[in-house]
Amino acid sequence: MNTAIVDALTSVLPPESVIINPDSMTGFLHDEAAWAPYGAPAAVVRPADTLEVQQVVKACIETGTALVPRGAGTGLSGGANAIDGCVIISFERMAKVLEIDHANHIARVQPGMVGDEFRAVLAEEGLWYGPDPASSPWSTIGGNVGTNAGGMCCVKYGVTADWVRELEVVTGTGEIVRLGRRTPKGVAGYDLRGLMVGSEGTLGVVTEIVVRVENLPPEPITVAGFFDSLIDAGNAVAAIRGQGIRPSALELVDRYCLQAVDEWKNMGLSADAEVVLIGRTDSPGAQGDAEAGAMLRCFDNAGATLSMRSSDAQEGDALYAARRLAYPALERLGPVLTEDICVPFTKVAEVLQECADIGERHGVLVASIAHAGDGNLHPLLITPPGDDEAEERAKAAFDEIIAAAIAAGGTVTGEHGIGLLKLDGLRQEVSPTVAEMYRAVKRALDPHGILNPGKAIPS
Amino acid sequence: MNTAIVDALTSVLPPESVIINPDSMTGFLHDEAAWAPYGAPAAVVRPADTLEVQQVVKACIETGTALVPRGAGTGLSGGANAIDGCVIISFERMAKVLEIDHANHIARVQPGMVGDEFRAVLAEEGLWYGPDPASSPWSTIGGNVGTNAGGMCCVKYGVTADWVRELEVVTGTGEIVRLGRRTPKGVAGYDLRGLMVGSEGTLGVVTEIVVRVENLPPEPITVAGFFDSLIDAGNAVAAIRGQGIRPSALELVDRYCLQAVDEWKNMGLSADAEVVLIGRTDSPGAQGDAEAGAMLRCFDNAGATLSMRSSDAQEGDALYAARRLAYPALERLGPVLTEDICVPFTKVAEVLQECADIGERHGVLVASIAHAGDGNLHPLLITPPGDDEAEERAKAAFDEIIAAAIAAGGTVTGEHGIGLLKLDGLRQEVSPTVAEMYRAVKRALDPHGILNPGKAIPS
């Protein structure tokens, strides 16, 4: 055990901020990335404020200890996984909304705030924060910043980085800084705010987040198209986006996912269709009607066997819930290895089909959900519990899907991050020179090499 | 003269790519920042392609020569100003549209492409690129990337960084890399694309730009409100934005600017009002009508002496032209020192009044145009030609306006960049630790210190 760091922590932090009992640390060891490795931490700290975070960073610098920041542990790439002898920093005690400046449409929150709780607080004032990862009932704003989380609505409203204005950060040298600014525009200095977002805790520890907020959008209209083939559905997506329509969500759910949700929740969703597209528009009035109509025409022109506009919010919400519940429903069937590739709109059909073929070739069930409107596909590789041989086949399929994404002009991760699982994929996607630029930036901002080392960029 | 670099350049580049005759270099010495210092370059290079740019960078590394990238020279902070003995790199021969991928709503351009020419090419396909700095008839996409240029429509559509997907860059070590990606989403690796945008050529030389494009928006509706005081106009802006209305432009033009445009172009614009707000909405149909109506109500409630909705596009365009022409019209009256501060919506009124007061205190005419909807104010300090004493007073007023912006929770530059003119302002805005982080990143990506040294960040 690394006693130096434990001594250092207990000498600067109050007892309630430090956990060193291994039994009490079990809930902090890893995120939800199936099969990503994790180690045994020396301690878990639960700081009460920024000054305590600073003490933790300084203690890690002094003792040469790795520091792993952690949100709710809903990550899917292993970015929050413990490293042997490390300190895990959990923000569960830094979880407040610090300020809502309604007139300037800005809110200031602590990193441990859960996404949906933040939305609920804002909604009381008629305000809204966009980024809506499927994990938002559990995941934290700080975790969302760490991974630059996306979600369903980002096809229209952008990802986390598009909403973050300013960050308070404890740097790799143990200093407290503010990066970015509260104003809508500003070009003073390098955009270190943007660099921090999505860097998975490898460049600094975020202790406070200022985001822009908007007025609550109108109730959406939901449309659905049922298709006999992935190809037809992919073509419908390309047609919608190619025409410049920007829905507030355009999600794909395949047969396996619908069935799994239905078996679990008995929602009466199962259809004979191979795949369903769920589109939403929150544009007001006639504009919303026009966009809903245009999406339905794209569904029909691409060969939908059935297309429908939800007659009320409840029906629309039921379809949408099927999308949200798909992941936990599938997890009931066995370990799920989640892919997260993003490809150009025009390649959605082709790559979806390729993922299915890859699964078939390796004897692995590949179910698919997708933020199809962004070309962000989540093939889900499912293996029977405890079947080691199937696990190996799934890993091979995982690698082939990554290669397919790159070959299609896409990326190996649309929104989940590199973490540990996608380090090989990143090496394939970017040139060695770019990887060296990442390392140069990492060395510049984390000169002691303590910030979540070994994650996010190739070492 | 620095003969080593001239020898190095002439040995690797064809003769038409290198200018060393001082008379031929006069058009490349500085941008439009009044009073920013500039030196005498050793050479101006006009590369034909990325490989020639790479040769230039390598020659600068070998000889320890500063390299200053330059667009059309319309910058207002001195970022493109020559450094003694430097190489100026001009992209006038790299000015083509390389690709329009309509289906994926992407275009690929060279940095020397002029903004409005790019728009014209896109418009032929029904496509549109958002960022519209007032300089867009002359300024280049590369220059816009260098400064992260904004403009009129960014209140709704964002700034240059929000449109740039991928960059080809020659690095500070002379290598050619691609940063970012073509897909709408992606979180693989650090966001070096975002870091490059707005870094004023200090972190790499951009040689190709991939941007997203959108469908051409509908014809806008234009509304105007005339006010007797800056305070009333500022309150109208705060009300519009505080209600969550997002116009496609919300511009402020004061009496001095209107008069200067009218004296120049005889457009019949002059009014008795102290200040005019020009709002636009390009939302379709009833939604556009609703937004236009809401803006007019905000004008009236804030005490507008007159408010009007343009009865046709021509009338709207005439008002809008007054905004575009304000800057060149004022330049006819004498040297203009352009401010570019950005403040929270709620502070627009107060800070506009403060700028006027500062001008009065220093005996300097302060005219004002503003991207008011973003809180981005451009106080224009005008002095009689050749009046050195007035110039000193204007500089003092310039510094006080910067201090006022910071005191109001704003920033010293909304969209023009730090260049040389705002280095002191940046030192006031960010902490010494943040400035050191900038320098650490600069050293990491420009280890030889050749990329536009002395600009953009405090040395």
Side-chain angles (χ1 to χ4, degrees):
Chain A
M1 193 168 99
N2 184 342
T3 54
I5 181 64
V6 172
D7 291 347
L9 292 171
T10 50
S11 73
V12 293
L13 295 182
E16 68 271 24
S17 296
V18 188
I19 302 172
I20 53 169
N21 175 340
D23 287 346
S24 306
M25 294 198 284
T26 51
F28 300 89
L29 301 184
H30 58 80
D31 66 15
E32 292 180 13
W35 307 327
Y38 59 90
V44 172
V45 292
R46 300 157 61 246
D49 58 30
T50 300
L51 290 175
E52 286 193 16
V53 175
Q54 184 181 35
Q55 292 300 323
V56 173
V57 173
K58 286 183 169 177
C60 287
I61 292 171
E62 280 159 24
T63 57
T65 306
L67 179 60
V68 179
R70 177 189 172 85
T74 60
L76 291 161
S77 299
N81 283 14
I83 297 163
D84 273 330
C86 80
V87 173
I88 300 277
I89 185 164
S90 168
F91 292 94
E92 58 201 90
R93 293 171 66 213
M94 292 174 67
K96 286 187 290 294
V97 176
L98 299 173
E99 177 191 355
I100 296 178
D101 179 347
H102 197 130
N104 286 306
H105 276 232
I106 281 171
R108 189 158 57 92
V109 298
Q110 290 184 305
M113 183 89 207
V114 169
D116 276 2
E117 288 174 20
F118 180 42
R119 282 164 204 282
V121 172
L122 291 172
E124 284 172 26
E125 297 216 21
L127 296 172
W128 180 69
Y129 172 70
D132 62 341
S135 61
S136 66
W138 314 283
S139 65
T140 63
I141 303 294
N144 293 173
V145 167
T147 56
N148 191 11
M152 322 251 182
C153 79
C154 49
V155 59
K156 180 167 181 177
Y157 291 106
V159 295
T160 300
D162 299 315
W163 292 74
V164 171
R165 288 265 176 86
E166 188 184 40
L167 297 172
E168 182 187 74
V169 170
V170 179
T171 69
T173 54
E175 284 158 296
I176 300 167
V177 294
R178 298 194 80 85
L179 304 174
R181 60 194 61 78
R182 294 169 73 105
T183 53
K185 291 166 75 178
V187 293
Y190 295 151
D191 185 12
L192 300 185
R193 171 210 63 87
L195 186 65
M196 265 324 140
V197 177
S199 65
E200 304 189 25
T202 64
L203 298 178
V205 182
V206 173
T207 50
E208 198 179 291
I209 301 143
V210 178
V211 297
R212 73 175 165 90
V213 295
E214 299 292 339
N215 284 6
L216 271 172
E219 271 297 310
I221 301 167
T222 305
V223 296
F226 297 79
F227 298 87
D228 274 345
S229 81
L230 288 171
I231 296 284
D232 290 348
N235 288 339
V237 170
I240 288 169
R241 297 296 279 124
Q243 287 175 28
I245 300 167
R246 187 164 278 204
S248 59
L250 183 53
E251 296 290 315
L252 178 148
V253 186
D254 81 356
R255 180 166 50 96
Y256 304 111
C257 297
L258 281 181
Q259 283 169 355
V261 172
D262 210 49
E263 280 163 21
W264 184 26
K265 296 287 182 181
N266 200 19
M267 292 169 79
L269 291 164
S270 288
D272 295 332
E274 187 65 28
V275 55
V276 182
L277 286 178
I278 305 162
R280 281 192 150 177
T281 167
D282 61 5
S283 295
Q287 175 65 7
D289 285 333
E291 287 174 3
M295 284 193 274
L296 288 171
R297 278 192 299 282
C298 289
F299 291 164
D300 292 338
N301 291 341
T305 54
L306 175 68
S307 65
M308 52 181 283
R309 175 177 164 157
S310 61
S311 50
D312 55 36
Q314 202 183 348
E315 197 177 281
D317 287 346
L319 269 169
Y320 211 64
R323 167 61 186 85
R324 276 200 185 268
L325 294 172
Y327 187 78
L330 283 170
E331 275 195 310
R332 295 173 66 243
L333 308 181
V336 178
L337 190 57
T338 306
E339 267 290 6
D340 169 45
I341 58 176
C342 191
V343 299
F345 313 139
T346 49
K347 300 290 180 115
V348 166
E350 180 185 321
V351 175
L352 280 172
Q353 187 58 57
E354 210 171 335
C355 293
D357 294 348
I358 289 168
E360 201 156 310
R361 227 165 32 238
H362 289 276
V364 174
L365 173 59
V366 177
S368 267
I369 46 180
H371 307 303
D374 278 320
N376 188 187
L377 315 180
H378 293 312
L380 305 170
L381 291 72
I382 301 145
T383 53
D387 184 339
D388 292 349
E389 200 266 331
E391 191 178 310
E392 287 309 309
R393 283 184 278 126
K395 286 181 185 171
F398 186 86
D399 291 341
E400 280 189 31
I401 290 172
I402 284 175
I406 294 173
T411 178
V412 302
T413 175
E415 56 180 11
H416 293 170
I418 294 296
L420 291 167
L421 281 187
K422 291 286 175 77
L423 285 168
D424 274 344
L426 181 60
R427 278 190 202 95
Q428 292 170 56
E429 182 172 330
V430 304
S431 71
T433 306
V434 172
E436 181 48 38
M437 291 169 81
Y438 295 156
R439 286 189 290 269
V441 168
K442 166 80 168 159
R443 284 191 300 267
L445 297 182
D446 178 26
H448 306 289
I450 58 157
L451 298 173
N452 213 4
K455 315 278 180 67
I457 64 165
S459 55
Chain B
M1 192 168 97
N2 183 343
T3 55
I5 182 64
V6 172
D7 291 348
L9 291 172
T10 50
S11 73
V12 292
L13 296 182
E16 66 271 23
S17 296
V18 187
I19 302 172
I20 52 167
N21 177 339
D23 286 346
S24 307
M25 294 199 284
T26 50
F28 298 89
L29 301 184
H30 59 80
D31 66 16
E32 291 180 14
W35 307 326
Y38 58 91
V44 172
V45 292
R46 300 159 59 249
D49 57 29
T50 300
L51 291 175
E52 286 193 16
V53 175
Q54 185 180 34
Q55 292 300 324
V56 173
V57 173
K58 286 182 169 177
C60 288
I61 293 172
E62 280 159 24
T63 58
T65 306
L67 179 61
V68 179
R70 179 188 170 85
T74 60
L76 291 162
S77 299
N81 282 15
I83 297 162
D84 273 329
C86 80
V87 174
I88 300 277
I89 185 164
S90 168
F91 292 94
E92 58 200 270
R93 292 170 68 212
M94 293 175 67
K96 285 188 291 292
V97 176
L98 299 173
E99 178 191 355
I100 296 177
D101 179 348
H102 196 130
N104 286 307
H105 276 233
I106 281 171
R108 189 158 57 92
V109 298
Q110 291 183 306
M113 183 89 207
V114 170
D116 277 2
E117 288 174 20
F118 180 43
R119 282 164 205 282
V121 172
L122 291 171
E124 283 172 27
E125 297 216 20
L127 295 173
W128 180 70
Y129 172 69
D132 61 342
S135 61
S136 66
W138 314 282
S139 65
T140 65
I141 303 294
N144 294 172
V145 167
T147 56
N148 190 13
M152 323 252 182
C153 78
C154 49
V155 58
K156 180 167 181 176
Y157 291 106
V159 295
T160 300
D162 300 314
W163 292 73
V164 171
R165 287 267 178 85
E166 188 184 40
L167 297 171
E168 182 187 74
V169 170
V170 180
T171 69
T173 55
E175 285 158 296
I176 299 167
V177 294
R178 298 194 80 85
L179 304 175
R181 58 194 62 78
R182 294 168 73 106
T183 51
K185 288 166 76 177
V187 292
Y190 296 150
D191 185 12
L192 300 184
R193 168 210 64 87
L195 186 64
M196 273 310 148
V197 177
S199 65
E200 304 188 28
T202 64
L203 298 178
V205 182
V206 173
T207 50
E208 200 178 290
I209 301 143
V210 178
V211 298
R212 74 177 164 90
V213 294
E214 300 292 338
N215 285 6
L216 270 172
E219 271 296 312
I221 302 168
T222 305
V223 295
F226 296 79
F227 298 85
D228 273 346
S229 80
L230 289 170
I231 296 284
D232 290 350
N235 288 338
V237 170
I240 289 169
R241 298 295 279 123
Q243 286 176 28
I245 300 167
R246 185 165 280 201
S248 60
L250 182 53
E251 296 291 315
L252 177 148
V253 186
D254 80 356
R255 178 165 53 95
Y256 303 112
C257 298
L258 282 180
Q259 283 169 355
V261 172
D262 210 49
E263 279 162 21
W264 184 26
K265 296 288 182 180
N266 199 18
M267 292 169 81
L269 289 166
S270 288
D272 294 331
E274 186 66 26
V275 56
V276 182
L277 286 178
I278 305 162
R280 281 192 150 178
T281 167
D282 61 4
S283 296
Q287 175 65 8
D289 285 331
E291 287 173 2
M295 283 193 276
L296 288 171
R297 276 192 300 281
C298 288
F299 292 163
D300 292 337
N301 291 341
T305 53
L306 175 70
S307 66
M308 51 180 283
R309 176 176 163 159
S310 61
S311 51
D312 55 34
Q314 201 182 348
E315 197 178 279
D317 287 345
L319 268 171
Y320 211 62
R323 167 61 185 85
R324 276 199 184 271
L325 294 172
Y327 187 77
L330 283 171
E331 274 195 310
R332 295 172 66 245
L333 309 181
V336 177
L337 190 58
T338 306
E339 267 290 5
D340 169 45
I341 58 177
C342 192
V343 299
F345 313 139
T346 48
K347 300 290 180 118
V348 166
E350 180 184 322
V351 175
L352 279 172
Q353 187 58 55
E354 210 171 334
C355 294
D357 294 346
I358 289 168
E360 200 156 310
R361 222 159 44 230
H362 289 276
V364 174
L365 173 59
V366 177
S368 267
I369 47 180
H371 307 303
D374 278 320
N376 188 187
L377 315 180
H378 292 312
L380 305 169
L381 289 72
I382 301 145
T383 53
D387 184 339
D388 292 348
E389 199 265 333
E391 191 177 311
E392 287 309 308
R393 282 184 280 126
K395 285 180 184 171
F398 185 87
D399 290 342
E400 281 188 32
I401 290 172
I402 284 175
I406 294 172
T411 177
V412 302
T413 173
E415 57 181 11
H416 293 172
I418 294 295
L420 292 168
L421 281 189
K422 291 284 176 80
L423 286 169
D424 274 344
L426 180 59
R427 277 189 204 97
Q428 292 170 54
E429 182 172 331
V430 304
S431 71
T433 307
V434 171
E436 181 49 39
M437 291 170 81
Y438 296 157
R439 287 189 290 268
V441 167
K442 166 80 168 160
R443 285 191 299 268
L445 298 181
D446 177 26
H448 306 289
I450 58 157
L451 297 173
N452 212 5
K455 315 277 180 70
I457 63 165
S459 56

